[in-house]
Amino acid sequence: MSEFDLISRYFSTKFPQRSDVDLSIGDDAAICTVPPNMQLVTAIDTLVADVHFPLTTKPEDIGYKALAVNLSDIAAMGATPVWMTLALTCPEFNEIWLQRFSDGLLELARLNQVSLIGGDTTRGPLTITIQITGLVPLNTALKRNGANPGDSIYVTGTLGDAGLGLQVAKQQVVLSTLAKKYTLSRLNRPTPRLQIGQKLLKIATSAIDISDGLVADLGHILNFSNVGASLQIDNLPLSDELLESVPYETAIELALTAGDDYELCFTTPESEVLFIDSCTYIGKIEPDLGLRCVTKTSDIFIPKANGYQHF
Ligand code: ADP
Ligand code: MG
């Protein structure tokens, strides 16, 4: 099979077609139409084998996750995803692997009506880069720099599950069958919070997606907004599966510092968030710089690790 056959078989016809794509895969570049009064929101994320996912990860999960992590960035901006490009580097031409990888990618692309409008295919160590483009009404996108003292801090979903899932995938812990299945799916198939992000456009003063751990990512909001915060440790949303699998202190540690959850953390003036499901209040923005973790008994809690850093 030639490179062109490969592209058309796995990455062309099956993907959602959108009327705003004027020229898709096949030419030197793609052409798309941007609606009036909208801004483009662009993000890119790379998954490197053995760095971002264990080598044992199923190809369909790699495809799903490669798009999910990009959609999560779009969600954190409050935008709606529309187009993506895919740079795929793989060590060999393996039809079964390509079929399964593209099936996983396709599943999430279909759910969100994202078109695959181009890419690049090369030989080398397994690496997947997706560039995603979203649309947002002019000057409404959520950013990291708008948090104000007095704002409440919220997170979506539950935290720490993917961190435990990574330990499961690396065979560092043994869990019940149900907890294993749940935490692995949280690691391999994170849910980008797109609908919530879009609802936050009129409500949130800042937002970020949690890819490197709550402490690290909330830290970015605090730095960009030039504020501090106190976090109510007892309020952190923890899943039953996490709580049944590890001691409470370990669950808290994972929730604060493990990456890969891809939940949203956002700030908003008090009480406006009642309209939004599956969000938990976790603390307050304060004028004093720095992050203070406090428990019900007001003990100061200091997490052992910070977020994941490549360098
Ligand atoms: P060029 O040599 O002009 O850069 P290529 O031969 O790399 O073009 O690719 C031919 C066409 O196939 C282009 O439209 C490109 O966007 C698309 N393409 C290549 N690889 C992929 C991929 N993995 N996924 C989606 N589209 C791809
Ligand atoms: Mg060209």
Side-chain angles (χ1 to χ4, degrees):
M1 200 190 281
S2 75
E3 191 184 312
F4 288 109
D5 294 335
L6 180 159
I7 292 162
S8 71
R9 159 122 36 129
Y10 298 109
F11 299 114
S12 165
T13 45
K14 296 181 297 182
F15 278 80
Q17 308 291 313
R18 297 179 57 95
S19 58
D20 51 12
V21 179
D22 305 300
L23 185 61
S24 191
I25 292 174
D27 214 305
D28 291 313
I31 304 175
C32 302
T33 299
V34 183
N37 300 318
M38 300 294 267
Q39 279 175 311
L40 291 185
V41 178
T42 306
I44 187 165
D45 256 316
T46 295
L47 301 188
V48 179
D50 211 20
V51 176
H52 296 93
F53 56 87
L55 295 172
T56 50
T57 309
K58 292 182 193 147
E60 50 271 39
D61 286 342
I62 300 171
Y64 193 101
K65 185 165 184 173
L67 179 53
V69 301
N70 276 283
L71 291 176
S72 178
D73 283 325
I74 294 295
M77 304 299 288
T80 302
V82 282
W83 315 308
M84 66 170 156
T85 55
L86 165 69
L88 176 63
T89 303
C90 30
E92 54 169 356
F93 176 78
N94 178 328
E95 286 194 42
I96 293 168
W97 191 93
L98 282 167
Q99 183 65 55
R100 292 176 61 185
F101 170 83
S102 69
D103 282 348
L105 181 63
L106 182 62
E107 187 180 336
L108 192 56
R110 280 199 177 132
L111 273 176
N112 294 283
Q113 283 305 298
V114 175
S115 281
L116 177 60
I117 59 170
D120 200 13
T121 309
T122 50
R123 187 188 293 267
L126 182 59
T127 307
I128 301 102
T129 299
I130 289 181
Q131 184 184 46
I132 185 95
T133 303
L135 298 172
V136 72
L138 207 58
N139 299 328
T140 62
L142 304 171
K143 291 176 284 185
R144 298 177 176 189
N145 66 356
N148 297 308
D151 283 356
S152 299
I153 308 168
Y154 290 84
V155 288
T156 61
T158 55
L159 300 178
D161 300 326
L164 184 59
L166 184 60
Q167 294 181 8
V168 174
K170 289 178 164 174
Q171 301 186 322
Q172 293 168 343
V173 285
V174 179
L175 306 188
S176 73
T177 312
L178 276 182
K180 181 178 170 184
K181 193 166 171 231
Y182 172 79
T183 55
L184 279 177
S185 91
R186 293 277 289 157
L187 173 71
N188 292 323
R189 296 194 168 220
T191 307
R193 301 294 183 184
L194 286 157
Q195 280 79 15
I196 295 179
Q198 288 155 26
K199 280 191 198 164
L200 290 177
L201 279 183
K202 296 192 181 82
I203 296 169
T205 48
S206 72
I208 193 166
D209 70 320
I210 305 175
S211 52
D212 296 331
L214 177 64
V215 168
D217 289 315
L218 175 57
H220 295 313
I221 286 186
L222 302 184
N223 289 338
F224 278 80
S225 303
N226 201 27
V227 292
S230 66
L231 261 193
Q232 302 292 329
I233 295 303
D234 306 292
N235 279 24
L236 291 177
L238 307 173
S239 68
D240 294 342
E241 289 84 350
L242 181 63
L243 285 170
E244 78 164 41
S245 303
V246 296
Y248 181 70
E249 271 71 41
T250 310
I252 292 292
E253 195 72 35
L254 284 167
L256 288 172
T257 61
D260 269 344
D261 281 321
Y262 296 99
E263 296 296 345
L264 297 183
C265 174
F266 61 93
T267 60
T268 176
E270 190 98 53
S271 76
E272 286 185 75
V273 75
L274 300 172
F275 305 99
I276 299 178
D277 290 338
S278 71
C279 293
T280 306
Y281 170 85
I282 58 163
K284 273 254 178 294
I285 297 293
E286 297 171 344
D288 290 345
L289 300 186
L291 180 63
R292 292 159 287 280
C293 297
V294 296
T295 65
K296 263 191 210 111
T297 49
S298 227
D299 300 341
I300 303 292
F301 180 96
I302 300 165
K304 287 190 208 104
N306 216 317
Y308 185 81
Q309 293 195 344
H310 285 274
F311 297 100

